[in-house]
Amino acid sequence: MLGKWLGKKSAPENDETFTAAEREQLQQFRIPGYEGPLPAAWFSRQGQQARLSLPFSAGPQVLEKLQQDAQLGHYQWQLDCQVEKLPNSQPELPLIYGNVIVISSGKGGVGKSSVAVQLAVALAENGASVGLLDADIYGPSLPTMLGGADEKQQINDQNKMQPHLRHGVYVSSLGFLADSKDAAIWRGPMASAALQQLFRDTAWPRLDYLIVDLPPGTGDIQLTIAQKLPVTGAVVVTTPQNVALADAEKGIAMFRKVGIPLTGLIENMSHYHCPACGHEEAIFGQHGGRKTAESHQVPLLAQLPLASPIRQALDQGQPLLTAEPQHPLNAAIREMATAVAAQLYQQAKKPV
């Protein structure tokens, strides 16, 4: 009764914290590639403004579940990505290369280079500073997929090669230095030396991520990468068919033997997507990538379709993300980029 006469009021609501129910709901929120709930410190709010702060690259599509949530959707959500430089295999080298992700495959023909290109473009679309190194020196295809194959790389006053800026990505490739019809007939040691020179003698800007497109297989160049370059993580690309999966397993084993963290597996050409009717057919088999990932205890980061619009865009030197940003097929590519960046970060932060 005394409280009534004294005008006692309930404690004011804190405009900078979430309610208990909202915090519980945030614990259920997930993003591709990150296992389990996100740390509570990554969520903040002030009044009706709410923010998700991530230490890795992600696209605005990760906010959709928050924006559509019955309890959390009334906030005006913003995404803030500040990419953290992670430990790598050569800690004595400067961190100007950012987080180095090598894209590998046990065999050719699985679409490794197209995955590398689309990953790089998607990360750049999210606002990250991204480099792309074409280490597939026997068959450099990135100039074709990114355009500008006839534009040669220039040498600056410091005798460094200037990377091309294509679709928001800084690209260095032997394909920009030699005639596109010339064959690179090099023995292993010469090829490995050329790769190191291409990496170190390119005038890279300060990067968040450097994507390295390796040649297929498990030979000299892959060993050079493991021993000489500051690698943060490796991604193995495969298709669902048994012959590709057997070679992918060799790639997984190789990275583990040389001590390179395995970020995960990407299953390319997971199914055929008909552009006319939208029908999907698993022409190379089903669940092969998932079973291989589970048996080797590595994350399955993405399952990308075999689709004519993706192939046509790359053939024309205009990745689908930039040629048709609203195309439905881009959703899987953007999700892949978030999954790779998130898993790369989470693995680096796991206690040894």
Side-chain angles (χ1 to χ4, degrees):
M1 196 68 173
L2 181 62
K4 179 179 178 182
W5 292 109
L6 296 177
K8 183 177 181 181
K9 298 180 180 179
S10 59
E13 182 182 351
N14 190 336
D15 280 349
E16 296 184 1
T17 61
F18 294 99
T19 67
E22 290 170 344
R23 289 195 298 271
E24 184 176 343
Q25 192 65 13
L26 288 172
Q27 286 292 298
Q28 308 304 315
F29 174 69
R30 299 291 186 271
I31 63 174
Y34 196 94
E35 299 170 5
L38 303 184
W42 292 0
F43 299 97
S44 61
R45 63 166 283 241
Q46 188 166 12
Q48 283 300 110
Q49 301 291 327
R51 183 184 300 271
L52 171 60
S53 301
L54 297 176
F56 50 82
S57 175
Q61 63 274 9
V62 301
L63 296 178
E64 291 178 359
K65 290 182 180 180
L66 293 171
Q67 293 166 335
Q68 297 167 3
D69 186 86
Q71 286 184 286
L72 301 165
H74 64 93
Y75 292 116
Q76 297 175 16
W77 283 95
Q78 295 178 330
L79 179 64
D80 179 29
C81 296
Q82 301 292 332
V83 178
E84 183 176 330
K85 302 295 191 297
L86 302 170
N88 59 57
S89 59
Q90 302 290 333
E92 71 279 2
L93 293 179
L95 290 175
I96 60 170
Y97 308 110
N99 300 309
V100 179
I101 306 171
V102 296
I103 310 298
S104 172
S105 65
K107 68 182 295 293
V110 300
K112 166 187 57 62
S113 294
S114 67
V115 168
V117 165
Q118 293 174 104
L119 172 61
V121 173
L123 290 170
E125 181 188 66
N126 292 341
S129 177
V130 182
L132 180 58
L133 175 66
D134 194 350
D136 193 351
I137 58 178
Y138 294 113
S141 55
L142 300 194
T144 299
M145 296 183 186
L146 291 165
D150 296 329
E151 302 172 13
K152 301 306 178 186
Q153 281 184 245
Q154 302 299 314
I155 307 297
N156 66 15
D157 294 338
Q158 288 75 42
N159 208 30
K160 296 279 189 178
M161 293 174 286
Q162 291 293 138
H164 282 207
L165 183 59
R166 308 295 304 175
H167 311 289
V169 177
Y170 296 95
V171 188
S172 187
S173 169
L174 186 68
F176 289 132
L177 298 172
D179 190 283
S180 60
K181 296 181 181 179
D182 283 348
I185 308 173
W186 291 344
R187 294 187 184 275
M190 185 183 297
S192 298
L195 168 60
Q196 292 182 66
Q197 184 175 2
L198 192 63
F199 173 75
R200 299 189 191 282
D201 288 350
T202 296
W204 301 107
R206 186 164 291 274
L207 300 172
D208 293 318
Y209 297 98
L210 176 61
I211 310 301
V212 181
D213 179 27
L214 292 179
T218 55
D220 287 344
I221 291 181
Q222 288 78 7
L223 292 175
T224 297
I225 286 284
Q227 296 168 353
K228 301 293 185 181
L229 271 60
V231 180
T232 311
V235 172
V236 175
V237 179
T238 185
T239 59
Q241 62 192 124
N242 290 338
V243 65
L245 293 169
D247 289 324
E249 290 177 334
K250 296 176 184 176
I252 292 172
M254 179 198 69
F255 285 119
R256 284 181 168 162
K257 284 182 179 179
V258 298
I260 297 297
L262 193 63
T263 306
L265 188 75
I266 291 177
E267 184 183 79
N268 196 29
M269 309 182 203
S270 181
H271 56 270
Y272 169 69
H273 178 89
C274 176
C277 66
H279 173 71
E280 296 182 352
E281 182 177 359
I283 58 177
F284 293 124
Q286 285 184 305
H287 311 305
R290 183 172 299 280
K291 291 177 181 177
T292 298
E294 290 173 353
S295 66
H296 289 274
Q297 296 182 321
V298 298
L300 180 63
L301 299 170
Q303 292 176 294
L304 302 179
L306 174 65
S308 296
I310 294 176
R311 191 271 306 164
Q312 290 169 352
L314 291 173
D315 280 352
Q316 295 168 3
Q318 292 280 340
L320 195 63
L321 282 166
T322 55
E324 298 182 57
Q326 303 305 317
H327 199 290
L329 288 171
N330 286 325
I333 299 170
R334 291 182 173 119
E335 184 171 313
M336 169 189 67
T338 297
V340 170
Q343 182 57 213
L344 187 78
Y345 174 86
Q346 191 173 32
Q347 283 191 6
K349 293 299 181 178
K350 284 182 179 178
V352 179

